[in-house]
Amino acid sequence: MSIEIGLCLALSTLLFGIGAGGFLLRRNMLIQLMAIEVMLNATNVALVSINRLHPGDHAGQVFAFFVIAIAAAEAAVGLAIVLGFFRVLRTVETDQADQLKH
Amino acid sequence: MSTVMAVSPFLLLVAAGLAIMLLDAFVHERAELAFVTAVSLFGAAALAGAGAIFGVHGPLPSALTSYLAIDRFSFFFQSVICLGGAMTALLAGGYLPEHRLDRGELYVLILFSSVGAMVLASAANLITLFIGIETMALGVYAMAGFRRTSPRALEGAIKYFLLGSFAAAVLLFGSAMLYGATGSLDFAGITESIRSGRADVVMTAIGLPLLLIGLVFEVSAVPFHQWTPDVYEGSVTPATTYMSIAVKTAAFAILVRVLAVSFGDSVSASVSTGWPAVIVALSILTMLYGNFTAIVQSNVKRMLAYSSIAHAGYVLVGVAAISRVGELAVSATLYYLLAYTFSNVLAFGSLIWAGSRGKEAVSYDDIAGLGRRHPGVGLAFSVGVLSLLGFPPTAGFFGKYYVFNAAVQAGGGFVYLAVLGVLASAVGAYYYLKVIVYLYMREPEEDAPVAVPMRSGYVVAALLIAAFGVIEFGIFPGHYLEVALSAAHQLLG
């Protein structure tokens, strides 16, 4: 049973939209970090499904693996920065990050 | 040329980065690490520079070249990134001990970020592009939060991290769309597919703008610049220097490569409906916004942040002109980024030099009268801002000259763009000369705390190298433009 490519891409775009919306609307750094992860994984869905149109190689699937690895590295650095921010300012709300003038 | 030689700058820097992580446990003076870092970066710059001057000979395995472009263009950018990184490491060697931040991580971060920036600048594949941009950016996010007890530094770091990761995710989605449109991830396949018209038009039209958003975020072009002043102000000054030179240089390199090569066909590069129209619009916004906002700043570091936004606008003039006068515009862009790297190190480095423990120089008032009390600092700062302003015979002058000349040669509407660029730089004269006025013609307030310049051989060495570059590229621009021209020729050839 095969699922149509168009549906996979629609799912990917929907997930990406949810991630982007979450990032832009929420003010909690941890939620924003999760939203970015959703965006990256939405892209993985697109990469893997597009790869099915090109059965000769596995470029898209390989890319998805790299994205997973990089997302992990990004989460590590991101959580460290959020933790540092929380230690000093006792909050994880981006609204509180307003000391530097615009 | 063997594979090992082709990637020798990368190997050298990775080896140095690993070695410094170990050495950090054994050395007593962390500043020695700055020396090791700077030497390895200068070494890598020399290797890459040789590649840019003498070119690449002999066949290379396709397993390498389908991921990394090994050509004069990549080598030129690798060299510029390494030179910028090396001077930053020297500045850090003076700055960190002076401000009691003496930890070795910053040097490792500079090395690994430079490797990321070089991968980005040499990427020949969407996979390497993404890996490069993330490797570079993750290092820079950590650098931004280096002063980990300062709320301002952490605020800058979190802003940079969240917006940067968001931009990277957008770039990634754009890459996936381009993959869907063209069926390949390497630029050669994408180029082929776009030129032959086989690429899916709708997916290309979604993918390319998203990819561009990710890249122009890194060069801080308006309207993707909001993070820049805050991050630049909050970070330790050597990290700010690094962000303003290496990150921008690498992002411009890949921007030029993608637009000039993969989307260089007549439809995508059509001046009215293709990417040049978008780049021109970004360029105008960036030049005007950067210059006019820099005027009202009272903080020199923030002023330099807005000045770096304005400079991104000038480079975009060159990028836009690529659609009409390919080689001329590409070489002008290369030369501009080389000149900008040295000028910016000189300006930020002088700001570092002007402060010492307990009192960093940040505002205009902090540098009042400094030129007369400490002629060395005054001279270095003056040469730096004059080059950023584009005053002959400094490197900055020829950078602007070549870029605007390329726009004039491109003809049509680009002439107006060049005129606008010249007018915008004239606005820039106000805030750059304000630095010199404060240095030489103002005295500090009666009981205001006075910034005393630090004593550091590292900072002086970095400034001497930067000043040498600014003067050398300004007096003999022809040599370097020739190297840039041959790089441009090979890129477009």
Side-chain angles (χ1 to χ4, degrees):
Chain A
M1 189 181 84
S2 79
I3 305 167
E4 239 185 287
I5 285 292
L7 279 175
C8 296
L9 287 181
L11 171 69
S12 160
T13 312
L14 178 70
L15 283 172
F16 192 82
I18 291 172
F23 180 85
L24 296 170
L25 297 175
R26 299 300 296 266
R27 287 287 163 264
N28 183 316
M29 290 169 193
L30 292 169
I31 304 276
Q32 286 181 307
L33 204 59
M34 280 160 62
I36 290 169
E37 296 293 315
V38 173
M39 291 166 76
L40 293 178
N41 284 310
T43 314
N44 282 344
V45 172
L47 285 171
V48 172
S49 53
I50 291 166
N51 201 160
R52 291 194 356 182
L53 294 175
H54 311 283
D57 60 42
H58 303 290
Q61 298 187 28
V62 171
F63 198 172
F65 276 116
F66 276 108
V67 173
I68 292 168
I70 289 170
E74 199 173 75
V77 173
L79 286 174
I81 296 175
V82 173
L83 203 60
F85 190 87
F86 180 76
R87 267 201 197 133
V88 175
L89 290 146
R90 293 281 143 196
T91 174
V92 288
E93 298 291 315
T94 41
D95 292 347
Q96 309 294 319
D98 57 357
Q99 290 203 1
L100 296 159
K101 66 174 175 185
H102 316 292
Chain B
M1 183 181 264
S2 69
T3 310
V4 175
M5 266 175 71
V7 295
S8 56
F10 296 97
L11 296 179
L12 177 60
L13 294 188
V14 171
L18 295 174
I20 286 174
M21 282 206 276
L22 287 175
L23 278 176
D24 192 20
F26 300 107
V27 292
H28 298 291
E29 286 274 327
R30 290 291 177 320
E32 287 166 15
L33 297 176
F35 181 74
V36 180
T37 310
V39 167
S40 48
L41 279 159
F42 277 125
L47 288 171
I53 291 167
F54 301 114
V56 186
H57 305 285
L60 286 165
S62 67
L64 176 67
T65 52
S66 58
Y67 291 94
L68 278 180
I70 307 293
D71 52 21
R72 286 177 192 244
F73 182 82
S74 319
F75 280 129
F76 188 96
F77 273 110
Q78 289 174 18
S79 188
V80 175
I81 290 164
C82 289
L83 287 170
M87 289 187 282
T88 311
L90 288 175
L91 290 177
Y95 180 93
L96 298 185
E98 182 71 32
H99 295 281
R100 297 184 201 232
L101 290 163
D102 209 2
R103 305 198 307 271
E105 296 99 83
L106 192 73
Y107 307 112
V108 182
L109 290 172
I110 290 175
L111 282 165
F112 288 144
S113 265
S114 299
V115 173
M118 285 157 62
V119 169
L120 177 61
S122 328
N125 190 304
L126 291 170
I127 300 181
T128 11
L129 191 163
F130 186 65
I131 295 175
I133 204 166
E134 285 286 330
T135 311
M136 171 180 84
L138 289 178
V140 178
Y141 301 148
M143 273 189 225
F146 191 73
R147 200 195 288 263
R148 62 189 171 203
T149 51
S150 148
R152 299 167 78 84
L154 287 163
E155 182 186 327
I158 197 77
K159 280 180 180 166
Y160 196 10
F161 172 78
L162 287 174
L163 293 173
S165 306
F166 182 74
V170 171
L171 175 139
L172 182 69
F173 196 71
S175 305
M177 290 298 115
L178 282 181
Y179 174 50
T182 61
S184 50
L185 282 169
D186 58 316
F187 292 165
I190 293 174
T191 309
E192 213 265 318
S193 173
I194 297 278
R195 296 229 160 143
S196 64
R198 277 189 289 107
D200 185 275
V201 179
V202 177
M203 282 180 112
T204 314
I206 300 172
L208 182 61
L210 294 180
L211 185 77
L212 286 185
I213 288 175
L215 293 179
V216 297
F217 172 86
E218 295 292 343
V219 306
S220 56
V222 179
F224 306 101
H225 66 283
Q226 281 96 345
W227 58 277
T228 316
D230 288 354
V231 176
Y232 281 22
E233 189 191 343
S235 308
V236 289
T237 317
T240 310
T241 315
Y242 189 80
M243 289 168 207
S244 71
I245 52 177
V247 173
K248 268 184 206 244
T249 306
F252 268 120
I254 194 65
L255 192 64
V256 168
R257 192 188 288 282
V258 169
L259 292 182
V261 181
S262 298
F263 292 91
D265 63 305
S266 53
V267 180
S268 323
S270 137
V271 175
S272 48
T273 54
W275 56 261
V278 178
I279 300 288
V280 166
L282 288 175
S283 165
I284 294 172
L285 283 175
T286 310
M287 285 191 294
L288 293 179
Y289 180 85
N291 277 307
F292 281 105
T293 322
I295 285 183
V296 297
Q297 301 303 319
S298 59
N299 176 321
V300 182
K301 210 168 159 185
R302 260 184 113 77
M303 178 278 277
L304 286 173
Y306 284 106
S307 126
S308 90
I309 295 178
H311 280 272
Y314 304 138
V315 183
L316 285 172
V317 172
V319 176
I322 292 173
S323 54
R324 286 274 184 86
V325 284
E327 280 181 29
L328 191 66
V330 171
S331 66
T333 310
L334 293 177
Y335 182 89
Y336 196 101
L337 288 165
L338 174 70
Y340 167 75
T341 296
F342 279 78
S343 319
N344 229 17
V345 168
L346 199 53
F348 274 112
S350 309
L351 197 60
I352 289 177
W353 195 11
S356 54
R357 181 169 298 171
K359 179 68 189 145
E360 266 189 76
V362 280
S363 66
Y364 282 103
D365 293 324
D366 291 338
I367 58 167
L370 203 63
R372 269 180 287 168
R373 277 178 284 135
H374 300 278
V377 183
L379 185 67
F381 219 148
S382 306
V383 176
V385 291
L386 283 176
S387 182
L388 286 173
L389 164 61
F391 197 80
T394 55
F397 169 74
F398 283 99
K400 283 212 175 89
Y401 172 76
Y402 290 139
V403 164
F404 295 147
N405 178 47
V408 170
Q409 300 290 331
F414 290 105
V415 177
Y416 297 108
L417 188 61
V419 171
L420 190 73
V422 172
L423 292 177
S425 356
V427 174
Y430 176 81
Y431 55 86
Y432 289 130
L433 293 179
K434 192 172 164 192
V435 170
I436 297 181
V437 167
Y438 269 86
L439 281 173
Y440 291 101
M441 294 168 208
R442 294 285 171 88
E443 281 306 322
E445 308 259 324
E446 276 297 314
D447 42 353
V450 180
V452 182
M454 66 165 80
R455 292 168 182 282
S456 162
Y458 286 108
V459 173
V460 174
L463 291 180
L464 281 176
I465 295 165
F468 171 79
V470 165
I471 304 293
E472 162 82 12
F473 305 144
I475 294 178
F476 305 108
H479 298 313
Y480 303 94
L481 189 69
E482 228 165 80
V483 179
L485 263 172
S486 58
H489 180 72
Q490 195 179 9
L491 180 76
L492 301 171

